[in-house]
Amino acid sequence: MLNDTITHAERELYLTLLELAQQQPSAYEWLTRLPIWLNDIKDKANYAHAPAYQASVARLPTLTVNNVDLNSDVLTIEANLSESQRKQTMALLKQLMPWRKGPFQIGGQLENQIDSGQNEDQQAAPIFIDTEWHSDWKWQRVAPHLGNLKGRRVLDVGGGSGYHGWRMAGAGADTVIIIDPSCLFYHQFMAIRHFVGAADSYKTHYIPVPLEALPEHSQLFDTVFSMGVLYHRQSPFEHLQQLKGQLVKGGELVLETLVIEGDANTVLVPHDRYAQMNNVYFLPSVAALMGWLEKAGFSDVRCVDVAVTSTEEQRKTEWMTYHSLADFLDPNDSTKTMEGYPAPMRATLIAKK
């Protein structure tokens, strides 16, 4: 029997935008474009694997969920999970590989289930989705520096599978909208949504589009996150302006991106590839990036964290079996990429509109 997880989630997104539009008329433009956005991501002509991804989500079994913890480093869905359900779920989730942002756990049981007379032997081991990235480590670095998310409307740009978006909802955000144009990531989010169900009161939503597809100057969000996106943009200033256009006056931008050491005039433009990525364009120093934000019209710019990415934070796993960071570094000098550039270092900056 197929589930209607995707249809239900998309209906909740529509209702959220409809309610928002009644308060903020600029959201009507989002409503106008929403059918096209949602149809395009399912169109086999655009994404050859779309029907297979949809089928994988639709065939996920319905579990008895006892608790959902959106505040745990491992986003945990405690549920009754039989061995047959575990095998079915594992096979379907692996059809949505590679899983890059997480981690997630599905299954496991509350202690009082055993006390209530259930047979512990009937419960299968939980499924642990050990993603390529320890996205929880990034959240641990960022979260202490955020303004209070309680009651706020949040946009997560380039949100991948949605891990950080779920954490934002767990932190008390009133509405979280994740955007990312990846067909795979969209369906990974829907797979997790299937098991989360209404535990977040449907505060967390996903629109499968890039930032530039959104109506300009919507000014709908109290907080906008852009983490791991800026260095992929050929025009970083255009990206900053687009982010600014989504924020309310006084809203908070959280920007995390690759940086290098240097002064306010230091910017690395990789000649060809950077850590084997051919879509990396600009790596500024922290000082240069602060200057970019100020030039783009942001104020109260501050750098709250700088961290070198380790091969423990980003690595190959059972759920992401392709090359990862260790394969992209100089085998004789881990402080450099294969191309001879400084190894990945990421900075988080926070600014006000």
Side-chain angles (χ1 to χ4, degrees), residues 49-68:
H49 296 294
Y53 294 157
Q54 290 175 59
S56 294
V57 174
R59 289 163 55 201
L60 288 168
T62 299
L63 305 180
T64 300
V65 175
N66 304 299
N67 185 55
V68 174

Side-chain angles (χ1 to χ4, degrees), residues 258-279:
L258 290 171
V259 296
I260 59 169
E261 299 281 359
D263 62 18
N265 298 309
T266 304
V267 180
L268 170 63
V269 181
H271 177 67
D272 185 14
R273 291 174 178 263
Y274 174 84
Q276 290 298 290
M277 294 183 285
N278 63 2
N279 60 346

Side-chain angles (χ1 to χ4, degrees), residues 185-252:
F185 296 161
Y186 181 67
H187 289 93
Q188 288 176 348
F189 171 84
M190 289 299 175
I192 300 300
R193 163 58 77 194
H194 173 73
F195 297 112
V196 170
D200 68 330
S201 302
Y202 282 96
K203 294 178 180 179
T204 317
H205 306 279
Y206 201 117
I207 302 179
V209 295
L211 177 62
E212 55 269 24
L214 299 181
E216 294 183 0
H217 310 298
S218 294
Q219 301 185 68
L220 291 175
F221 299 94
D222 304 296
T223 306
V224 171
F225 289 81
S226 171
M227 300 193 291
V229 179
L230 184 67
Y231 51 87
H232 291 311
R233 303 266 63 86
Q234 294 184 28
S235 177
F237 279 94
E238 184 177 5
H239 182 71
L240 295 178
Q241 290 293 345
Q242 290 166 343
L243 295 170
K244 185 181 172 187
Q246 299 303 326
L247 278 167
V248 300
K249 186 176 181 180
E252 183 172 79

Side-chain angles (χ1 to χ4, degrees), residues 92-111:
L92 292 169
L93 293 176
K94 287 209 166 184
Q95 289 176 13
L96 299 175
M97 287 172 58
W99 286 79
R100 297 191 182 275
K101 303 293 177 68
F104 304 94
Q105 179 174 302
I106 300 163
Q109 59 182 9
L110 298 173
E111 292 180 0

